Amino acid sequence: MSSRSSSRSRNNPIDKLDFDGHRKPTSVHDDSGMSSPNGLLRDDESLLSHVVEAYSLYGHLFQSHLRYTQYQVNVVSITAELAMYLPVPLFGYLCDRFSPRPLSLFAAFCFGFGYLLAAFAYHRGPPVDKGGHGWPVGVMVLAFVPIGMGTASMYLSAVTTCAKNFGRGKHKGLALTIPIASFGLSGMWQSQVGSQLLYERMPDGTKGDVDVFRYFLFLAGTLFGVGLIGSIALRVVNEEELIDDAVEELERSGLLEDSEFFQRSILHDANSNGYGTLTPQRRHSGSSEGLPRPSSKAQQNVDSQKKTWLLNSETRRFLSDPTMWFLTAGFFLVTGPGEAFVNNLGTIIGTLYPPPASAPPVNSAATNITIIAIASTLARLLMGTLSDFLAPRSASSDNIKTSFAVSRLAFLLFSTSLLVLSQILLAAGAIESRPSYFTLVSALVGAGYGSVFSLIPIIVSVVWGVQNFATNWGIVAVVPAAGAAIWGAVYSAVYQDGASRSGGQEELCWGKQCYQTTFWAMAVTSVKVFNFFDVSQVKVGDEKDNASIFDSNELSCVCSGSESLFLGTQDGEIKILSKAFRVVRTFKAHDSGAVTHMKQVDGTALLVTIAEDLSSEPVLKVWALDKADKKSGGPKCLSSLGIHNGKKQFPISAFAALEDLSQLAIGFANGSVTMVRGDLIHDRGARQRTVFESPEPITGVEFREGNITTLYLATTGKILTLTISGRGQGLPAKPLEDTGCSIGCMTIDKASGDIVVARDDAIYYYGVNGRGSPFAYEGPKKLVTTFSQYIAVISPPQAAASASTNALQRFGNSQTDDMFSMSTVALLDTDLRYFAHTETLASQINAAFIEWGDLFLLTLDGKLFRYHEKPLQQKLDILYQRNLYVLAINLAQKAGLDATQRNVILRKYGDYLYQKGDFDTAMQQYLKAIDNTEPSQVIRKFLDTQRIHNLIEYLEELHEHDKASIDHTTLLLNCYAKLKDTDKLETFIRSGNNFDFDTAIIMCRQGGYYSQAVFLAKKHEEHNLVIDILIEDSKSYDEALSYLWKLEPEDAYPNLMKYARVLLEHCPEHTTQVFIDYYTGEYRPKKDVLLSATEDVQGGVASALPSLSSFIPLAYRQQSSAPSPATVGNQQVNLTGIQAADLEATLRKEYNIPKPRTAFSSFVDHPKEFITFLEACLKQEHIEEGDKIDLYTTLFEIYLETANNKKGAEKDEWEAKAKSLIEGPNIPIDTSNVLLLSHLSNFRDGTVLVREQQGLRFDIFRSYTSANDTAGAIKALRKYGPEEPQLYPAALAYFTSSPRALQEAGDELDTVLRKIDEDGLMAPLQVIQTLSSNAVATMGLVKEYLRESVERERREISKNRRLIDSYRTETESKRKEIDELGRKPAVFQARRCSACGGSLDLPTVHFLCKHSFHQRCLNQVDDKMECPTCSKDNSTIRAIRKAQTETADRHDMFQDALQRSRDKFGTISEFFGRGVMSVSPAE
């Protein structure tokens, strides 16, 4: 701006390019600055490039998720800032000398690589040094280096393109601010995308913080794509013309005369159509149209050299311009704090909300980033537009002249003031008490920051031109990096120091101590300010008199009590007001003087008034308001007296009285105190005495009652106590404090009895033990009073502050003086140390009184304000909104809320702490609220492995409070198992807590804690589980069996059956014994019984020690009537038979003996033990038959199985045992079972023995023949043949079945044939058929048998033929006789009666059978009468015939008889004769 501006107007040195009326813009649409597609693309790149601005959206998550410290978070952001700003000059240099396209391509790759690396670095979690498994912090720092470089590259390529294409038009400011504004908007939309779309889900389903991993991936892809597009589309239009114009400008200014390069260019251009000469035409047209452009390579080289020379020259001149350095310094000072604010926005917001609360959505980091972006965008657009219209212009630049012009430097100063104002608001602590107003600070920062960043590049482009804009702007843009680094480091140091002092987590801080030093301010107080009161102005009636009550200048004092308000006036009157603030009574209390002090004894009708007139002594009167004076009709005056002050006329400065008005203290301004004692109510006289004198005025007096009545005195310089009654009465006043107080700044807290004193620095309490803990509250005090649990403090107007208002007055505030004359009202809770309400009133406070449950303040201008305390729930809601849960808890406790309601607050506090990452403290709150908190709500939060210790703590507490369920016990034991904390598990198991037993057992078993599981099972007498664990888990078989042996029968049996095989496998002997005892009815629980020791025979002294050997397992000790000795060392203990019998009877318990067969399956693969068990069971008496069969059968089988596994004599021994079981009568084993088992075991003796007993002789013989045992078959045939003839045909078939059998049979074959022939067991034909079934037997063997058979048959045939002939002869004779009877008469020659034997006489009856009878000898004589002598034979014949007739159709009888008959033909003949085969006659 020195030599470069020499040809410009001296009145407007900044707006350089506007003054050149001959310059032609490079775009034909330069007025709008919007028409170029390159500009639109540049805007798109700007909308995406400023990704670092969104750092505050996720910067705080680096603390909570990656556990970075604030220093490390700022290192990452500062690194990005440095990478973004430091290379800007280099990037600008490259952009000017080449083009924006390579820079855009470089930005694409930087963004892609940087955000991908950052995404995966975040996804890996906290670094190793932070307790995680992630990458070091350096990786994240490295990732943000290309991100910062990409931001700078993309931004510079876009802005440079726009500046060179549109920067010379009349709307250059708007043309530049639009892309710069787009650059600011990028942070807004990117933060909204992250917070609204790419967010994390909280456990309750609500929206959480941004999902940084996905957000980084989104940015990597999006920015990579935009960078690639920019590398293709970005270009500068007519750049050659831009260079030529710049050269012309330098030529006109005379700066090229000493340039060697320029002189060479003139000579070259003179030979080349005069290029480079400054013709008049060209000066005025500003273009090179009509001039042929050389196309040769040499000309291109010249053009390139010219461009390089020009840009280098512009750079040197820019650096040598002092104005640039002043502008750069201001840019550094302004932008550094702004950059630090934006980068640390998330943590600054976090300081406004005590942990673990987070900012509400309306005040979140994303919201404030959006506000900053919007404010920045609007400010950039506004500043750019205003600078275009209001900046100074040359007369030739525009046809319109304006009389009003504002330099761009003025706009720059205004923008800087906005940033300064935002810093002041933060530094003063105004935002801490009202976090919702933080958005105002963000708006101011965004507006100031955006304005500065839009104005500086506009100024650079206007003053130093656009041809070297990228380089020049890049040089200036470096300084924000230094500012951000410095102020970021300052902020980090202050923040970290605040974090270390806040008592919270190492990385997190809250409160304005985290930033107040950074923003150049001193903290005044750390108390919290709330709005716990509803304030309303009281409307004092409609009547004129009532409306002017408080406006009257005659009002001198106010007091309240007994549901009434009392007003004292200057003329001595008293006005009594009702609750509706209507005057209900007025009376003249004093004839002279003003009523200056009043006291109404609450609950009574007594009123004490004091009137003062400096011409006489003050007058005190006591009034009975419920009694009327007969003369005046007003209240009755009970007593009246003048107050003495040693005849010194000084005003009363303090007054106090006991409730019974027996003692009153009056303090005077001269430092004396007068005590009035007496019965003022009944007017029985009163004594006055000056009890204290001081050179300092008395400013307060208060009584403290108790065993000793003490008067507290306050002067302007001291606090003293004076004993009025009791021990120490009469002693002089004792000083408590060498600092006094002002008038009206001393009162008594009736709830505690403490004296409250308000000084300029704090609120002090004085009690029996002296001064208590003060409450810091700086500022002058005018009045103090107690209201409920609060201290109401009235501060006077601060006239001294008027000097500080000058700066504000310059902003046009016409009411500044009035504002700083206002009084301040503060309601403090000194116990919980917070402000319940603060307010500034437009007028000074005249009086304060408490009545009807509210606090009332009366101002000098007659306005009455009511302060009504909000309900407790509303106050708690206010604290919830500000995340002040500790205060809420204390407030609830002080208010007396029950535990259930307090637990709700604790639970909210725990949720808040959890969200902030303070898991340990959060768990403490959940533990306190455990009684009415749903456990699942807490447990779900701490299921992360890293929080397992907190989870264990909560689950243990659940069990302590008997609130644990099965799932809780399971989870707790799982946690113990995961941590392998055996000691805690052991302690929990043995603690006796009420927990789910089954779940504990399961979890102990699954975790391998078998001894603990056994302990639990034994403790709960779950015998089944004890044995399950000992056998299945710990494999302690001996211990399991020992425990089983101690169980009662009903408990021992199911466990014995369940694990019999396992126990037999590992403890065969003892397990078998348990089976034997149980199944024989001899089972007794194996108890250890301690028996007392008998008298020592040798020593003769009874031993007092028990004998350890008297632990005798009684169930298996032999009982005897004689003593049973047991020895321990040298002592002998005797157990008599009677004692043993008694103990045995005690332990004996009847039980149902199970069937023996129920135990059989248990002895599989244990034959030895099985045999022992079966033999023992068979020895017992009175075995049921079914059980005996089972035992014999099973034992027989196991004997045979064992014999099969043995050889030689040992085998014979076992077979003998088996045979012994089936010998003799009444064998219980079923025959079929014996036969089957003997067959399966190849035990022939058993088969034979059983078959003999059962008469199965044929089966015995067949068993020999099937085994080809010829000798055995012959033996069986000889033994059983006579009784079983069918054995001979079988023997014949066997003997001739094989040559070997025939040879072994020998002569036995003839014996068989002879027996068959003798007994007719087989027909000869059958014998022949049997022998011919194979080729073993020859005809020689049966020759004799056949000869004898043929001869016998012949003899039989001859005999039969003779018999047939005789039958034929007899039959013919009978037929002939029948025929004769039918044809010839019969001659009866009998002479005697066949019945009686007498001679026959008539009537006589003759029968054809030749028998005759007397008619009288017959019972009946008719045609059907039969001969009595022949009737029996005839009946028999008829019966036979009838039977034959009836059986003729019974073919089944015929077939059965034929099948069983040995003479088949004879049987057929017999049935033929019976008519079986006769044919029924045809009908």
Side-chain angles (χ1 to χ4, degrees):
M1 293 175 59
S2 55
S3 60
R4 291 292 304 275
S5 60
S6 58
S7 61
R8 306 297 175 226
S9 173
R10 297 184 180 274
N11 296 329
N12 300 291
I14 296 298
D15 298 291
K16 170 185 174 184
L17 296 183
D18 288 339
F19 295 163
D20 190 354
H22 302 289
R23 179 165 297 176
K24 179 180 179 180
T26 58
S27 175
V28 296
H29 299 291
D30 59 340
D31 289 348
S32 65
M34 292 293 187
S35 61
S36 172
N38 297 305
L40 295 178
L41 177 63
R42 199 230 68 80
D43 295 347
D44 293 339
E45 284 206 332
S46 297
L47 280 171
L48 292 160
S49 58
H50 197 8
V51 292
V52 178
E53 184 175 322
Y55 182 80
S56 54
L57 177 66
Y58 51 82
H60 63 288
L61 296 178
F62 286 176
Q63 287 182 293
S64 59
H65 180 75
L66 301 182
R67 304 176 189 170
Y68 291 177
T69 64
Q70 183 61 38
Y71 282 110
Q72 292 169 335
V73 173
N74 276 277
V75 165
V76 176
S77 65
I78 291 171
T79 301
E81 297 284 351
L82 293 176
M84 182 172 65
Y85 288 110
L86 292 182
V88 170
L90 175 61
F91 293 156
Y93 180 87
L94 296 175
C95 186
D96 282 335
R97 280 145 185 82
F98 298 97
S99 70
R101 295 180 181 180
L103 216 56
S104 182
L105 181 62
F106 175 76
F109 286 99
C110 285
F111 279 130
F113 171 78
Y115 274 114
L116 282 178
L117 181 60
F120 288 99
Y122 183 90
H123 191 62
R124 293 280 294 182
V128 176
D129 58 348
K130 300 293 184 179
H133 303 284
W135 294 339
V137 180
V139 176
M140 187 64 73
V141 174
L142 177 63
F144 273 78
V145 171
I147 292 174
M149 296 174 66
T151 303
S153 299
M154 186 171 286
Y155 167 79
L156 199 57
S157 64
V159 174
T160 300
T161 302
C162 190
K164 290 188 177 183
N165 286 334
F166 307 103
R168 294 193 299 168
K170 63 180 180 180
H171 296 305
K172 60 179 69 68
L174 183 62
L176 275 178
T177 54
I178 288 178
I180 294 175
S182 300
F183 183 71
L185 282 175
S186 63
M188 179 190 71
W189 78 263
Q190 288 170 11
S191 64
Q192 290 303 314
V193 168
S195 61
Q196 301 298 328
L197 299 179
L198 304 176
Y199 57 85
E200 296 177 336
R201 284 284 185 183
M202 301 298 289
D204 57 357
T206 59
K207 186 186 300 183
D209 285 317
V210 62
D211 188 342
V212 179
F213 177 71
R214 292 194 298 153
Y215 183 65
F216 282 174
L217 293 180
F218 164 77
L219 292 179
T222 304
L223 296 174
F224 180 80
V226 173
L228 290 180
I229 297 174
S231 66
I232 299 173
L234 289 179
R235 68 186 182 92
V236 178
V237 180
N238 296 330
E239 188 177 12
E240 295 84 0
E241 184 177 345
L242 187 66
I243 297 298
D244 291 342
D245 289 341
V247 171
E248 289 181 10
E249 182 180 358
L250 290 175
E251 184 182 14
R252 287 194 301 269
S253 64
L255 297 176
L256 299 182
E257 294 178 356
D258 298 330
S259 173
E260 180 180 356
F261 175 81
F262 181 70
Q263 294 299 328
R264 292 199 307 268
S265 299
I266 293 176
L267 296 176
H268 180 273
D269 291 340
N271 298 325
S272 302
N273 298 325
Y275 179 78
T277 59
L278 301 176
T279 62
Q281 179 183 0
R282 191 170 179 185
R283 288 192 185 102
H284 293 285
S285 63
S287 69
S288 59
E289 296 177 2
L291 293 176
R293 303 296 297 177
S295 59
S296 64
K297 184 175 182 180
Q299 182 62 46
Q300 294 178 1
N301 291 335
V302 171
D303 292 342
S304 176
Q305 292 176 6
K306 182 170 59 176
K307 175 181 177 181
T308 302
W309 174 88
L310 175 66
L311 296 179
N312 291 339
S313 177
E314 291 284 352
T315 303
R316 286 192 299 270
R317 291 196 171 276
F318 180 78
L319 293 175
S320 61
D321 195 337
T323 309
M324 183 275 295
W325 292 109
F326 287 113
L327 181 67
T328 303
F331 194 42
F332 166 82
L333 294 175
V334 171
T335 58
E339 290 280 356
F341 177 87
V342 173
N343 290 339
N344 297 282
L345 179 62
T347 55
I348 293 175
I349 293 174
T351 63
L352 303 178
Y353 299 91
S358 59
V362 296
N363 205 18
S364 64
T367 302
N368 283 276
I369 290 174
T370 303
I371 292 173
I372 292 174
I374 293 175
S376 175
T377 301
L378 295 177
R380 292 178 186 188
L381 294 174
L382 180 63
M383 287 299 172
T385 304
L386 290 178
S387 67
D388 284 340
F389 287 96
L390 299 180
R393 300 169 180 268
S394 64
S396 60
S397 64
D398 201 335
N399 296 326
I400 301 176
K401 295 183 179 181
T402 58
S403 59
F404 179 77
V406 179
S407 173
R408 288 187 173 90
L409 286 178
F411 288 112
L412 184 60
L413 292 175
F414 175 76
S415 302
T416 303
S417 66
L418 294 179
L419 282 172
V420 173
L421 180 60
S422 66
Q423 305 295 334
I424 291 176
L425 289 176
L426 272 177
I431 303 302
E432 184 186 15
S433 60
R434 296 176 177 85
S436 59
Y437 290 171
F438 186 79
T439 53
L440 175 61
V441 176
S442 298
L444 290 174
V445 171
Y449 187 80
S451 299
V452 170
F453 256 92
S454 65
L455 289 170
I456 294 296
I458 294 175
I459 293 175
V460 170
S461 67
V462 170
V463 177
W464 289 281
V466 297
Q467 61 275 3
N468 200 38
F469 172 82
T471 304
N472 297 342
W473 172 232
I475 293 172
V476 177
V478 171
V479 296
I486 293 173
W487 291 114
V490 171
Y491 174 81
S492 300
V494 174
Y495 183 97
Q496 207 64 36
D497 180 69
S500 63
R501 291 185 286 108
S502 63
Q505 292 185 354
E506 181 181 356
E507 298 87 0
L508 301 179
C509 176
W510 57 88
K512 65 182 181 181
Q513 70 270 17
C514 307
Y515 56 81
Q516 58 187 173
T517 304
T518 307
F519 299 113
W520 314 310
M522 296 295 293
V524 177
T525 180
S526 61
V527 296
K528 302 295 181 293
V529 180
F530 305 101
N531 186 17
F532 286 174
F533 283 83
D534 293 324
V535 183
S536 60
Q537 184 176 350
V538 178
K539 295 182 179 180
V540 190
D542 297 331
E543 297 181 9
K544 184 176 181 181
D545 294 341
N546 289 335
S548 60
I549 291 174
F550 299 114
D551 294 337
S552 175
N553 294 326
E554 295 298 322
L555 190 64
S556 59
C557 67
V558 179
C559 81
S560 62
S562 300
E563 300 294 323
S564 298
L565 177 62
F566 303 90
L567 304 179
T569 63
Q570 297 288 342
D571 56 1
E573 284 189 347
I574 302 296
K575 296 180 180 180
I576 304 176
L577 278 68
S578 65
K579 187 175 181 179
F581 296 97
R582 298 180 181 275
V583 178
V584 296
R585 192 174 189 180
T586 302
F587 65 94
K588 186 73 172 180
H590 297 273
D591 295 332
S592 64
V595 180
T596 58
H597 295 83
M598 288 189 295
K599 176 179 176 60
Q600 204 282 327
V601 182
D602 200 14
T604 68
L606 300 176
L607 176 67
V608 180
T609 62
I610 298 177
E612 293 184 74
D613 186 358
L614 293 180
S615 61
S616 59
E617 293 181 337
V619 178
L620 182 147
K621 292 184 179 181
V622 179
W623 302 88
L625 301 178
D626 57 344
K627 299 178 181 179
D629 185 74
K630 295 181 180 179
K631 295 182 179 180
S632 62
K636 182 178 181 181
C637 180
L638 300 180
S639 60
S640 177
L641 75 159
I643 302 174
H644 305 312
N645 187 20
K647 297 182 180 181
K648 300 175 183 178
Q649 300 301 321
F650 286 90
I652 297 175
S653 57
F655 168 67
L658 296 179
E659 293 299 320
D660 59 358
L661 301 182
S662 60
Q663 298 188 75
L664 296 88
I666 299 94
F668 292 91
N670 65 337
S672 64
V673 178
T674 300
M675 283 292 302
V676 178
R677 291 187 175 91
D679 188 355
L680 298 177
I681 298 176
H682 300 92
D683 197 16
R684 295 176 181 175
R687 300 189 306 274
Q688 299 186 41
R689 185 167 67 91
T690 300
V691 296
F692 179 77
E693 291 183 339
S694 170
E696 299 172 343
I698 301 298
T699 56
V701 291
E702 290 291 346
F703 285 103
R704 179 187 177 92
E705 294 186 272
N707 295 331
I708 298 175
T709 302
T710 304
L711 177 65
Y712 284 80
L713 305 174
T715 69
T716 57
K718 290 183 180 179
I719 303 294
L720 306 98
T721 59
L722 182 66
T723 303
I724 301 302
S725 63
R727 185 178 179 181
Q729 182 178 1
L731 297 178
K734 297 179 180 179
L736 284 180
E737 191 89 31
D738 291 335
T739 304
C741 66
S742 302
I743 295 176
C745 293
M746 181 176 181
T747 186
I748 184 171
D749 185 354
K750 295 181 180 180
S752 62
D754 293 339
I755 304 300
V756 181
V757 176
R759 300 194 184 101
D760 290 349
D761 58 344
I763 308 297
Y764 295 88
Y765 285 85
Y766 296 91
V768 178
N769 299 320
R771 195 183 82 176
S773 177
F775 180 84
Y777 177 41
E778 294 186 357
K781 314 293 189 302
K782 176 183 179 181
L783 180 64
V784 63
T785 185
T786 59
F787 169 59
S788 183
Q789 61 188 12
Y790 304 105
I791 303 296
V793 179
I794 312 299
S795 299
Q798 300 184 30
S802 61
S804 64
T805 65
N806 294 333
L808 295 178
Q809 289 176 352
R810 288 195 293 270
F811 282 94
N813 188 352
S814 61
Q815 298 179 351
T816 302
D817 294 336
D818 294 338
M819 179 181 67
F820 283 95
S821 65
M822 296 178 180
S823 296
T824 302
V825 180
L827 291 168
L828 300 82
D829 188 328
T830 56
D831 289 341
L832 302 182
R833 311 190 73 80
Y834 69 90
F835 284 94
H837 183 80
T838 58
E839 186 179 15
T840 300
L841 297 179
S843 177
Q844 297 187 37
I845 305 301
N846 186 23
F849 61 90
I850 299 167
E851 194 60 48
W852 305 298
D854 293 332
L855 172 67
F856 294 88
L857 297 181
L858 180 63
T859 63
L860 287 176
D861 56 3
K863 294 180 181 179
L864 183 64
F865 295 92
R866 180 195 300 267
Y867 290 78
H868 179 73
E869 186 177 7
K870 294 181 179 180
L872 178 61
Q873 187 58 48
Q874 291 187 18
K875 294 191 288 185
L876 292 176
D877 291 339
I878 294 173
L879 296 177
Y880 295 158
Q881 294 175 1
R882 299 185 58 179
N883 300 319
L884 299 176
Y885 294 98
V886 175
L887 183 57
I889 294 169
N890 295 332
L891 182 63
Q893 188 172 2
K894 186 175 182 179
L897 290 183
D898 57 17
T900 301
Q901 294 173 301
R902 291 200 305 271
N903 288 343
V904 173
I905 306 174
L906 290 169
R907 188 164 60 250
K908 290 178 178 290
Y909 186 29
D911 294 340
Y912 168 76
L913 293 170
Y914 178 84
Q915 293 177 358
K916 295 295 289 183
D918 189 358
F919 303 108
D920 295 335
T921 310
M923 179 52 67
Q924 296 305 315
Q925 311 312 314
Y926 291 134
L927 293 177
K928 294 176 183 178
I930 199 170
D931 289 333
N932 60 340
T933 300
E934 173 58 37
S936 60
Q937 298 177 0
V938 179
I939 292 173
R940 282 197 300 266
K941 299 177 183 293
F942 292 89
L943 291 178
D944 188 357
T945 305
Q946 297 179 354
R947 305 273 73 81
I948 191 171
H949 295 285
N950 301 121
L951 181 59
I952 289 175
E953 186 178 10
Y954 187 76
L955 293 172
E956 288 175 343
E957 195 70 18
L958 280 178
H959 287 83
E960 288 287 344
H961 286 74
D962 293 337
K963 294 175 67 66
S965 65
I966 295 176
D967 294 333
H968 299 149
T969 304
T970 303
L971 186 57
L972 178 58
L973 296 177
N974 267 329
C975 292
Y976 287 149
K978 189 171 186 66
L979 295 179
K980 302 187 185 308
D981 195 340
T982 308
D983 295 337
K984 271 197 171 183
L985 178 63
E986 187 77 22
T987 303
F988 175 76
I989 293 299
R990 300 180 182 275
S991 63
N993 290 337
N994 184 14
F995 54 85
D996 185 74
F997 161 74
D998 295 330
T999 303
I1001 288 289
I1002 293 173
M1003 297 313 302
C1004 287
R1005 296 179 69 178
Q1006 291 178 351
Y1009 301 100
Y1010 303 131
S1011 60
Q1012 289 80 5
V1014 169
F1015 171 81
L1016 277 177
K1018 288 182 178 179
K1019 179 179 178 181
H1020 291 81
E1021 296 184 354
E1022 292 289 339
H1023 309 302
N1024 298 345
L1025 274 176
V1026 174
I1027 297 175
D1028 285 350
I1029 299 167
L1030 291 174
I1031 293 178
E1032 295 181 358
D1033 298 329
S1034 61
K1035 311 300 181 184
S1036 301
Y1037 305 106
D1038 292 333
E1039 185 180 354
L1041 183 61
S1042 176
Y1043 184 82
L1044 185 147
W1045 219 330
K1046 297 178 182 179
L1047 300 179
E1048 296 298 328
E1050 59 273 11
D1051 295 325
Y1053 177 71
N1055 290 286
L1056 179 62
M1057 298 306 297
K1058 183 177 181 180
Y1059 293 107
R1061 295 187 183 182
V1062 180
L1063 294 174
L1064 284 170
E1065 180 70 25
H1066 297 87
C1067 310
E1069 182 178 352
H1070 294 91
T1071 305
T1072 304
Q1073 186 61 50
V1074 174
F1075 268 103
I1076 293 172
D1077 292 341
Y1078 201 93
Y1079 280 87
T1080 56
E1082 298 298 327
Y1083 177 83
R1084 302 291 180 272
K1086 191 176 182 181
K1087 304 291 184 181
D1088 292 335
V1089 182
L1090 180 63
L1091 304 178
S1092 59
T1094 60
E1095 184 176 338
D1096 191 340
V1097 179
Q1098 296 180 358
V1101 180
S1103 175
L1105 298 175
S1107 172
L1108 297 178
S1109 65
S1110 59
F1111 285 78
I1112 303 174
L1114 295 178
Y1116 305 104
R1117 179 178 44 76
Q1118 293 182 355
Q1119 299 182 17
S1120 174
S1121 60
S1124 300
T1127 304
V1128 177
N1130 295 326
Q1131 292 185 349
Q1132 188 173 16
V1133 180
N1134 295 325
L1135 180 65
T1136 65
I1138 297 176
Q1139 291 174 334
D1142 292 341
L1143 290 172
E1144 181 77 10
T1146 302
L1147 297 175
R1148 182 185 298 274
K1149 185 176 181 180
E1150 297 296 332
Y1151 63 93
N1152 295 326
I1153 301 174
K1155 298 288 184 181
R1157 68 180 307 143
T1158 59
F1160 291 173
S1161 60
S1162 302
F1163 288 92
V1164 174
D1165 297 331
H1166 300 282
K1168 181 180 177 181
E1169 290 76 17
F1170 196 15
I1171 291 172
T1172 304
F1173 170 73
L1174 294 173
E1175 290 175 345
C1177 291
L1178 285 174
K1179 291 178 181 179
Q1180 64 177 333
E1181 299 178 357
H1182 309 297
I1183 305 176
E1184 294 183 3
E1185 189 63 28
D1187 296 342
K1188 185 181 293 185
I1189 293 173
D1190 293 338
L1191 291 171
Y1192 269 90
T1193 303
T1194 307
L1195 186 58
F1196 178 72
E1197 179 182 2
I1198 201 67
Y1199 278 161
L1200 293 180
E1201 183 179 351
T1202 306
N1204 286 336
N1205 296 328
K1206 306 295 182 180
K1207 294 182 179 180
E1210 198 171 359
K1211 180 177 183 179
D1212 296 338
E1213 180 182 354
W1214 286 106
E1215 287 183 345
K1217 287 185 176 182
K1219 189 174 182 179
S1220 65
L1221 293 176
I1222 58 176
E1223 287 181 338
N1226 301 325
I1227 297 175
I1229 307 177
D1230 185 74
T1231 303
S1232 59
N1233 289 335
V1234 175
L1235 291 175
L1236 177 61
L1237 294 173
S1238 298
H1239 173 72
L1240 294 175
S1241 301
N1242 199 22
F1243 182 52
R1244 188 171 298 168
D1245 291 345
T1247 303
V1248 172
L1249 184 60
V1250 172
R1251 288 173 177 172
E1252 284 182 355
Q1253 294 172 352
Q1254 298 296 326
L1256 302 176
R1257 301 175 182 84
F1258 197 86
D1259 291 341
I1260 297 173
F1261 179 78
R1262 195 177 336 185
S1263 65
Y1264 285 113
T1265 58
S1266 61
N1268 294 325
D1269 186 1
T1270 306
I1274 294 173
K1275 181 180 179 182
L1277 182 62
R1278 293 175 180 175
K1279 185 176 182 180
Y1280 309 122
E1283 299 177 2
E1284 190 70 32
Q1286 291 300 323
L1287 292 178
Y1288 291 101
L1292 177 62
Y1294 171 70
F1295 290 155
T1296 58
S1297 61
S1298 65
R1300 178 176 173 273
L1302 182 60
Q1303 183 180 0
E1304 292 176 352
D1307 296 338
E1308 191 65 28
L1309 180 60
D1310 296 335
T1311 304
V1312 171
L1313 289 173
R1314 187 166 47 254
K1315 185 63 176 176
I1316 291 174
D1317 185 44
E1318 291 176 354
D1319 295 342
L1321 299 177
M1322 294 179 67
L1325 182 59
Q1326 292 176 322
V1327 173
I1328 296 300
Q1329 290 176 343
T1330 300
L1331 296 178
S1332 63
S1333 60
N1334 51 60
V1336 175
T1338 62
M1339 288 298 296
L1341 293 176
V1342 295
K1343 180 180 179 181
E1344 185 64 26
Y1345 166 74
L1346 293 176
R1347 185 183 60 78
E1348 292 179 356
S1349 296
V1350 170
E1351 291 181 354
R1352 187 174 55 256
E1353 289 295 333
R1354 288 176 179 175
R1355 289 193 294 269
E1356 185 68 26
I1357 292 172
S1358 177
K1359 179 181 178 182
N1360 289 337
R1361 285 177 179 176
R1362 288 194 296 270
L1363 185 58
I1364 291 172
D1365 291 342
S1366 65
Y1367 284 161
R1368 287 178 179 175
T1369 302
E1370 185 178 358
T1371 301
E1372 187 65 29
S1373 174
K1374 292 294 183 183
R1375 287 179 178 176
K1376 186 177 180 180
E1377 182 179 356
I1378 293 172
D1379 183 60
E1380 289 179 353
L1381 288 176
R1383 292 184 297 104
K1384 297 179 180 181
V1387 177
F1388 301 98
Q1389 297 178 356
R1391 296 180 179 179
R1392 291 187 179 275
C1393 177
S1394 297
C1396 63
S1399 299
L1400 289 174
D1401 56 8
L1402 297 174
T1404 302
V1405 178
H1406 301 280
F1407 292 93
L1408 292 176
C1409 60
K1410 304 303 182 177
H1411 293 136
S1412 300
F1413 298 91
H1414 295 113
Q1415 186 178 6
R1416 62 177 178 273
C1417 292
L1418 299 175
N1419 294 329
Q1420 182 181 3
V1421 180
D1422 53 16
D1423 294 340
K1424 296 182 180 180
M1425 187 173 59
E1426 188 177 7
C1427 174
T1429 302
C1430 298
S1431 61
K1432 293 181 179 180
D1433 295 336
N1434 294 336
S1435 297
T1436 300
I1437 293 172
R1438 283 197 297 269
I1440 292 172
R1441 184 57 183 168
K1442 183 179 180 181
Q1444 290 177 347
T1445 303
E1446 290 176 353
T1447 58
D1449 296 331
R1450 296 288 302 276
H1451 303 291
D1452 54 343
M1453 294 178 60
F1454 167 70
Q1455 293 174 354
D1456 183 64
L1458 183 63
Q1459 187 177 3
R1460 292 185 289 103
S1461 174
R1462 298 172 64 182
D1463 186 3
K1464 307 295 183 182
F1465 187 77
T1467 302
I1468 294 173
S1469 300
E1470 180 183 356
F1471 275 85
F1472 183 80
R1474 296 178 182 177
V1476 173
M1477 298 182 184
S1478 60
V1479 180
S1480 300
E1483 295 181 359

